[in-house]
């Protein structure tokens, strides 16, 4: 994990938030490469969950909502984690993080057994809306994006004119005042979620739960996390939310252990019923065929953007051996990111930076590729070094413009370049004009 955290900082994937002031626990900033990776994950999610389907539409809700939303959803009363304090080292801990030795609970930090009794700690960040800070102006930063979907259910249904089953998707920030943020971005206080609420008839809830589990597993496979690394946990009765009839956790083997990437939950009609009751507004669906009105049930695949990004980096990180400039083998750090989500798809290098014609040609190639993908131009340092820098950030392809490209050695090779593959390090000679189509097909 240390190597991954250090690579993320060194190469501009992820920085500590407010770093120059000593940071802010549980908050992270994504740098130039991190933001590209994150955006690619969200875009791919949106593509497969919304654009490629007829039965899902999107929305983008506000982060602040009427406090009544959080009362009705149950978050104000029950969105809590049990917390204990260690009287020896003063650590504040989640009860499930305590270690148990010979039946006695201990502090995982100091081994202390003098612990306070567990008490409920609400994870929502409280804030005040407007100029007065009193009971009437309280609200919370949303701890999940889902509630905006439930409270807009009727509006979206009306404008989209969808019939059951159909879904509403949303990607956005969520905030939880986690007792112990840890494991890098895995447990943060500010994070992003990609959530779908898929509305259906009660009798089909379990069917859609299994359907969405399978779809979500395919999603991870398609962006480079093999099925063998994903584990499906069927959440047992006692651990599920009381209203859920079935929940699966999709877990991944992080370097710090097997942990949840996404929850796929059958939430029944709980949320819509609660909001209908509390608001007094009908959230029913009218079935034109049977002429019946009812509250739909919902299946929710809820994924974390930050956890997905972290899993992708962990999965992609590898070290192998490659020859240096003099042919001596050295360790190569390579991020084997799937081309689809790699921040930069192709790097373009002139062999030498002081040869005007090489530089000119390389820049022409950048212009040729730019409308199709994110490209990066680099002219500094030995070519081997430039390859290594791209390997380390997961750029799947490298194009080098050399004297052959200018037709100086063999006229038949004029306007061809070497195309290098990050993983195999193999190089092939391809015509410049074919580069866009070759790369586009390999990326998708
Ligand atoms: P955990 O048990 O790990 O706290 P959870 O079961 O509370 O997670 P959900 O409420 O199901 O999580 O949220 C859906 C998804 O949102 C999670 O699977 C995860 O990917 C993401 N998520 C939740 N909490 C955090 C967090 N503190 N930091 C980063 N991502 C989070």
């Amino acid at each position: 994990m240390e190597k991954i955290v250090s690579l993320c900082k060194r190469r501009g994937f992820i920085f500590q938030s407010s770093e120059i002031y000593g940071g802010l626990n549980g908050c992270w900033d994504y740098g130039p490469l991190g933001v590209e990776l994150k955006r690619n994950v969200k875009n791919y999610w949106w593509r497969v969950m919304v654009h490629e389907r007829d039965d899902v539409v999107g929305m983008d809700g506000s982060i602040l909502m009427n406090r009544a939303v959080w009362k009705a959803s149950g978050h104000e009363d029950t969105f809590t984690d049990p917390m204990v304090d260690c009287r020896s080292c003063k650590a504040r801990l989640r009860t499930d993080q305590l270690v148990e030795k010979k039946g006695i609970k201990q502090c995982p930090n100091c081994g202390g057994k003098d612990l306070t009794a567990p008490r409920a700690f609400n994870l929502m960040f409280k804030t005040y809306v407007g100029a007065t800070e009193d009971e009437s102006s309280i609200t919370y930063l949303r701890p999940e994006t889902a509630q905006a979907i439930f409270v807009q259910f009727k509006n979206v249904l009306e404008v989209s004119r969808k019939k059951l089953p159909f879904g509403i998707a949303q990607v956005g920030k969520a905030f939880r005042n986690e007792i112990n943020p840890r494991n890098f971005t895995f447990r943060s206080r500010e994070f992003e979620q990609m959530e779908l609420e898929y509305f259906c008839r009660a009798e089909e809830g379990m069917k859609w739960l299994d359907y969405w589990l399978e779809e979500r597993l395919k999603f991870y496979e398609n962006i480079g996390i093999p099925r063998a690394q994903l584990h499906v946990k069927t959440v047992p009765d006692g651990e599920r939310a009381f209203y859920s009839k079935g929940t699966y956790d999709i877990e991944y083997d992080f370097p710090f252990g097997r942990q949840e990437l996404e929850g796929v939950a059958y939430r029944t009609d709980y949320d819509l019923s609660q909001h209908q009751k509390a608001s007094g507004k009908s959230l029913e669906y009218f079935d034109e065929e049977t002429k019946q009105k009812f509250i739909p049930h919902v299946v929710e695949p809820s994924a974390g953007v930050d956890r997905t990004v972290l899993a992708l980096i962990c999965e992609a990180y590898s070290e192998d051996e490659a020859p240096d400039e003099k042919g001596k083998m050295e360790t190569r750090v390579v991020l084997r990111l799937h081309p689809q989500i790699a921040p930069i798809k192709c790097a373009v290098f002139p062999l030498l930076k002081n040869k005007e014609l090489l530089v000119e040609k390389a820049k022409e190639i950048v212009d040729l590729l730019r409308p199709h993908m994110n490209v990066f131009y680099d002219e500094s340092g030995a070519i081997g070094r430039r390859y290594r820098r791209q390997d380390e950030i997961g750029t799947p392809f490298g194009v080098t413009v050399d004297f052959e490209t200018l037709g100086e050695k063999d006229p038949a090779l004029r306007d061809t370049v070497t195309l290098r593959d990050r993983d195999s390090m193999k190089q092939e000679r391809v015509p410049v004009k074919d580069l866009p189509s070759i790369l586009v097909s390999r990326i998708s």
Side-chain angles (χ1 to χ4, degrees), residues 19 36 39 97 258 277 386 431:
E19 191 188 277
E36 295 292 339
R39 195 169 279 226
Q97 288 168 354
R258 185 171 293 181
K277 223 186 302 164
R386 283 182 261 169

Side-chain angles (χ1 to χ4, degrees), residues 79 81 94 143-144 176 178 185-193 195 249 259-263 300 302-308:
F79 195 62
D81 271 346
R94 256 169 51 165
E144 60 175 31
R176 296 183 188 178
E178 297 281 357
T185 56
F186 178 82
R187 187 171 299 288
S188 311
R189 289 185 165 136
E190 174 175 341
F191 54 95
E192 256 181 298
Q193 290 184 315
E195 295 195 302
D249 283 349
Q259 297 279 353
E260 175 182 330
L261 265 186
E262 166 161 358
E300 173 198 77
S302 170
V305 180
D306 311 78
R307 286 189 188 177
T308 306

Side-chain angles (χ1 to χ4, degrees), residues 31-42:
L33 293 174
V35 70
E36 295 292 339
L37 179 56
K38 204 176 177 199
R39 195 169 279 226
N40 292 343
V41 168
K42 290 188 282 184

Side-chain angles (χ1 to χ4, degrees), residues 283-330:
L283 296 177
E284 284 176 321
Y285 173 85
F286 178 66
D287 188 329
E288 275 160 26
E289 277 164 35
T290 62
K291 307 288 177 214
Q292 279 179 327
K293 267 186 172 180
F294 58 92
I295 293 186
H297 278 224
V298 70
V299 171
E300 173 198 77
S302 170
V305 180
D306 311 78
R307 286 189 188 177
T308 306
V309 166
L310 185 59
L312 288 168
I313 296 176
C314 292
E315 186 62 32
Y317 184 93
S318 65
E319 292 176 5
D320 62 10
E321 297 264 296
D324 68 6
E325 296 300 300
K326 296 182 185 102
K328 202 173 129 239
M329 294 309 267
E330 60 173 8

